[in-house]
Amino acid sequence: MTAATADRHVLYEAAVQCVDADLNFFTRVFKRHRGRPLRRLREDFCGTAHLACEFVKRHRDNLAWGVDLHEPTLNWGIRHHVLPLGKAAERITLIRDDVRTARTPNMDAVAALNFSYQVFKTRDELRGYFRAARAALAPDGIFFLDAFGGTEAVDELLETRKIDPFPGPDGRIHEGFTYVWDQNRFNVVRHDILCHIHFRFRDGSEMKRAFTYDWRLWSLPELQEIMVEAGFKSAEAYLEGWDEDADDADGVFRRRDWYDNIEGWVGYVVGLR
């Protein structure tokens, strides 16, 4: 695998996404709050719709919708994730539209992951999206999004991580590579952040700026407050615990009202309709 031959979507899914962990969290929190299984999921900013397709695989009664503006990426997801579902593909619907105007049936849950909602840079824009997400939910529906922060979140930095050989969407084992997260610029006045993803390969080649993100870095209290302003009854923050022995996050997200700042953290914000 080289920069000339690699598929950036395959690399992204291997390096960035962990759809099983996300779905485990959604189903656990939904069951705890609502006392019933999560069966209808809408994935906003769905990209390749990897998460939506995995949700459909989990149970024969699961239905999923995916919404995204970028038609080439949706088409990639259809080829690599939807069609391989076979008969189950009938239970997933992909829509090319703005997440603020897309029309779908009432959902048990709406999810906006990989920080994609941060493309909305003003409170009015973000509140408008949150209102649209709330309107897409059933009366007892739940809205999930992820967030990141920490002392290094506002720094210019290059963070590298080696990815071991992995199975692609077709089941074929791909060679490992190096994932590079590039926080290129941060504007302290507006909290705008410009980030890139690069991929490096064993032959020394590099796929530069495979993905670029021009976001506003929203804080947890801002996200919670704007959710409530958009009509949600409440908004909960969930952050990872810490394993002192391993000196690493333990992968378990718990509801928090207090959390000490660290170099980098990720979490979820959960809006209850």
Side-chain angles (χ1 to χ4, degrees), residues 142-157:
I142 297 180
F143 181 35
F144 295 93
L145 55 81
D146 55 4
F148 75 98
T151 58
E152 289 188 346
V154 296
D155 287 341
E156 294 180 7
L157 60 83

Side-chain angles (χ1 to χ4, degrees), residues 107-123:
M107 297 288 124
D108 290 338
V110 173
L113 297 183
N114 306 311
F115 323 118
S116 45
Y117 61 89
Q118 296 194 129
V119 69
F120 301 126
K121 292 188 174 184
T122 69
R123 290 182 74 97

Side-chain angles (χ1 to χ4, degrees), residues 21-143:
D22 290 325
L23 290 173
N24 289 343
F25 177 79
F26 298 165
T27 54
R28 172 172 65 87
V29 172
F30 189 87
K31 183 68 177 292
R32 179 169 62 82
H33 277 291
R34 303 311 187 205
R36 63 182 180 86
L38 171 60
R39 291 287 179 245
R40 297 162 74 94
L41 172 69
R42 170 170 146 173
E43 181 186 4
D44 282 352
F45 309 96
C46 69
T48 64
H50 186 23
L51 180 131
C53 289
E54 288 300 315
F55 179 70
V56 162
K57 288 181 184 179
R58 287 194 165 202
H59 195 279
R60 63 187 179 184
D61 294 331
N62 284 2
L63 304 173
W65 284 256
V67 182
D68 200 282
L69 272 174
H70 196 243
E71 187 170 8
T73 305
L74 287 171
N75 289 338
W76 190 99
I78 291 171
R79 292 193 305 273
H80 292 85
H81 291 307
V82 177
L83 294 179
L85 290 173
K87 182 70 172 176
E90 297 175 359
R91 294 187 279 112
I92 184 166
T93 302
L94 300 187
I95 302 170
R96 182 183 176 273
D97 202 349
D98 189 312
V99 294
R100 295 168 292 183
T101 56
R103 300 300 180 197
T104 53
N106 286 345
M107 297 288 124
D108 290 338
V110 173
L113 297 183
N114 306 311
F115 323 118
S116 45
Y117 61 89
Q118 296 194 129
V119 69
F120 301 126
K121 292 188 174 184
T122 69
R123 290 182 74 97
D124 284 346
E125 288 177 327
L126 190 61
R127 189 186 305 109
Y129 167 55
F130 286 177
R131 283 176 176 157
R134 182 182 179 277
L137 290 167
D140 64 346
I142 297 180
F143 181 35

Side-chain angles (χ1 to χ4, degrees), residues 186-222:
F186 181 79
N187 178 353
V188 69
V189 176
R190 300 181 59 86
H191 263 231
D192 288 348
I193 186 170
L194 180 67
C195 303
H196 308 290
I197 290 176
H198 318 291
F199 299 112
R200 296 173 182 167
F201 304 93
R202 292 179 180 177
D203 71 335
S205 62
E206 181 174 4
M207 187 185 295
K208 295 184 177 180
R209 299 189 179 186
F211 298 92
T212 292
Y213 307 101
D214 183 2
W215 290 332
R216 172 172 172 174
L217 183 61
W218 293 94
S219 69
L220 287 176
E222 287 175 318

Side-chain angles (χ1 to χ4, degrees), residues 229-255:
E229 291 170 8
F232 286 91
K233 291 180 181 177
S234 63
E236 302 173 344
Y238 289 76
L239 293 140
E240 280 183 293
W242 190 262
D243 186 330
E244 294 291 349
D245 293 333
D247 193 30
D248 199 1
D250 65 9
V252 180
F253 291 85
R254 301 175 180 86
R255 184 182 174 186

